[in-house]
Amino acid sequence: MNRYILFIVILLLLSSCGNIPQQEKTEAIGSESVGHPQVETETSFPFPEIPAMLTQPEERKAYLLEHYWDRFSFADTALVNNREVTEQGFVNQISLLADGATPEKVIRESLKNWCSRFMPEAQARRVMMQLADDYLYNPNSPFYNEGLYGVYLETMLEVLPEEDARRSSFDFKLRLLRRNKVGDKATDFTYYLPDGQKKSLVATSVRGNRLLLVFYDPECESCHEVLREMTADASLAEAVKAGRVTVLAVYTEGNQEAWRKGLADMPEGWIIGTDRQKVKEEALYDLKAMPSLYLLDGQKRVLLKDAPLGQIREVLGLAVK
C-alpha cells in the first residue's frame, strides 16, 4: 500500500476539525486495485465526520473505524463498482485495523458495521466479500492477515441469519483457518513413499529440530517456480545434508503418474511422499495456494504457517542468496 495514502487517513483522524475537507478526502483515495471493474465517477470516499469533542487520537481513531462506512451508500452500484473509492477505502480501513495498535473491540465493531451494512445489497455483498478474500486471505497479497480474516468470518456468522445457507461456507472456512495455527501441533496425516511404504507426519524423524513441510503439485506452475528456487538453493541443500533441517514434500493431488514422473526432479535428501488426496479431502490443512510451506519443530509444533520461502529461509538462518 502507498504509505502516503495511509498517512493522509491518519492525519484526518487526528485533525481537530470534525468535518473533512473535500480536497483531503480526494487525496486520501489512491489507485491500488486487485482488478475489479472500474466505473468512472467523481465521487470520493465519504469519511465519517468525527465529533469535535473527541480530541484524543485514540478516541478519534476508534470513532473513525467504528463509523467508517456510515456515509457510504452500498445501494449505489456505481459507487460500489468504483474501485478507486470502494477498494481504496477498504484498503485504508484494514491497514488501520491491522496496525498492531487497534484494540480488538474496535476491530470487531468496525467489521460489524461494515458487514451488516453491505449484506442487504447483492452487488455490494459480492464486491466486499471478494475484497476480503483477495486482500486478507490470499497469501500473495501484501495485506494477507489470517487473524483479521478470521474476525471477518466470525463477524459474517454473527450478522447472517441462522437459516442463511451461506453460513456453512463461512463456518467451514473458519474451522479450516483455525487449524495448524502457529504454536499448535500440526495435524497428523498419512503419506506414502515412492516404494509404497506407509508413513505418518507424527512418526517422521526430524533432524536439527526443524521440519520444512512442503505441500506441492508438480503440475502447478507456481509450484514449479518455488520448487526450482528451492532446488537451486545451495544453502538449503547444505542444511539438509548437514542434518540441520529435514524437508518433507507431500503431493496432495490424485494423479499418481504425474507425481512419479516428477520424482526425478526433486532435490536429493528430501523425503518425498504422496498423501493420496487425504489432506485435501479431509480438509486437514488450508491449501489455498500451492505450494504451501509450513515450518515445524521436532515435536511437530507449527513455527510458521503457509509462509513464503524467504521468511522460512530467514528463520532457518540460511545464507543470503
Side-chain angles (χ1 to χ4, degrees):
M1 175 184 179
N2 188 325
R3 291 181 181 272
Y4 176 72
I5 297 168
L6 181 55
F7 181 65
I8 289 293
V9 176
I10 293 174
L11 285 181
L12 290 175
L13 69 93
L14 292 177
S15 170
S16 61
C17 176
N19 294 317
I20 301 171
Q22 181 64 32
Q23 181 180 358
E24 290 189 6
K25 288 183 185 178
T26 303
E27 289 175 353
I29 304 302
S31 59
E32 284 201 21
S33 165
V34 291
H36 298 292
Q38 182 173 2
V39 176
E40 295 296 336
T41 74
E42 296 181 359
T43 307
S44 59
F45 190 86
F47 288 101
E49 295 184 2
I50 303 175
M53 68 184 67
L54 300 179
T55 59
Q56 296 302 309
E58 294 80 6
E59 294 177 321
R60 298 181 66 77
K61 178 182 178 182
Y63 187 93
L64 172 68
L65 288 172
E66 292 175 1
H67 297 269
Y68 195 86
W69 298 92
D70 282 6
R71 298 173 61 194
F72 187 94
S73 176
F74 289 103
D76 185 344
T77 57
L79 176 61
V80 168
N81 290 336
N82 187 335
R83 65 189 186 193
E84 296 203 5
V85 176
T86 304
E87 190 167 344
Q88 188 60 57
F90 173 75
V91 168
N92 289 344
Q93 178 194 20
I94 63 173
S95 296
L96 289 170
L97 293 177
D99 66 359
T102 304
E104 183 178 350
K105 176 181 180 296
V106 174
I107 293 174
R108 291 185 177 275
E109 285 297 321
S110 181
L111 291 178
K112 185 175 181 179
N113 170 276
W114 176 57
C115 293
S116 60
R117 287 176 179 275
F118 75 64
M119 274 304 297
E121 305 295 338
Q123 178 61 11
R125 187 168 61 244
R126 284 190 291 269
V127 170
M128 298 299 171
M129 289 169 58
Q130 190 63 53
L131 284 175
D133 288 346
D134 288 346
Y135 278 99
L136 298 176
Y137 194 50
N138 181 352
N140 296 317
S141 165
F143 300 93
Y144 174 57
N145 190 316
E146 278 200 352
L148 193 55
Y149 189 74
V151 178
Y152 156 72
L153 293 176
E154 292 170 355
T155 304
M156 289 297 287
L157 287 171
E158 184 179 347
V159 302
L160 280 171
E162 287 295 328
E163 66 277 8
D164 196 304
R166 287 168 294 201
R167 293 184 62 87
S168 60
S169 174
F170 285 104
D171 183 64
F172 174 78
K173 279 187 176 182
L174 186 58
R175 286 186 286 110
L176 190 58
L177 196 72
R178 288 172 173 169
R179 290 184 177 176
N180 305 297
K181 295 186 298 184
V182 172
D184 290 352
K185 276 219 170 185
T187 303
D188 192 26
F189 61 89
T190 298
Y191 64 92
Y192 300 84
L193 300 177
D195 64 4
Q197 287 187 68
K198 183 179 180 180
K199 300 285 185 177
S200 70
L201 175 66
V202 70
T204 299
S205 297
V206 178
R207 302 173 69 195
N209 197 36
R210 291 294 181 266
L211 175 64
L212 176 52
L213 177 58
V214 181
F215 294 108
Y216 79 103
D217 175 8
E219 296 183 298
C220 161
E221 186 54 39
S222 61
C223 284
H224 284 311
E225 295 175 7
V226 176
L227 288 175
R228 277 196 295 266
E229 184 178 352
M230 296 177 76
T231 300
D233 191 335
S235 59
L236 176 59
E238 176 58 30
V240 172
K241 184 177 180 180
R244 298 197 301 273
V245 61
T246 299
V247 181
L248 169 60
V250 179
Y251 172 63
T252 59
E253 306 303 311
N255 190 339
Q256 297 300 303
E257 182 180 347
W259 173 62
R260 290 191 174 278
K261 184 178 178 181
L263 289 175
D265 298 325
M266 300 300 285
E268 184 178 352
W270 289 20
I271 303 171
I272 314 296
T274 173
D275 71 337
R276 299 179 182 176
Q277 292 188 283
K278 289 300 181 182
V279 168
K280 286 184 63 177
E281 289 177 354
E282 299 178 11
L284 301 181
Y285 286 76
D286 188 4
L287 305 181
K288 52 183 169 290
M290 299 292 276
S292 186
L293 309 180
Y294 287 70
L295 185 62
L296 316 179
D297 66 13
Q299 288 69 50
K300 314 305 187 306
R301 291 196 181 278
V302 179
L303 302 177
L304 294 176
K305 177 184 178 181
D306 204 8
L309 179 58
Q311 184 181 7
I312 287 175
R313 295 185 81 262
E314 183 178 347
V315 171
L316 291 176
L318 301 180
V320 178
K321 298 174 66 177

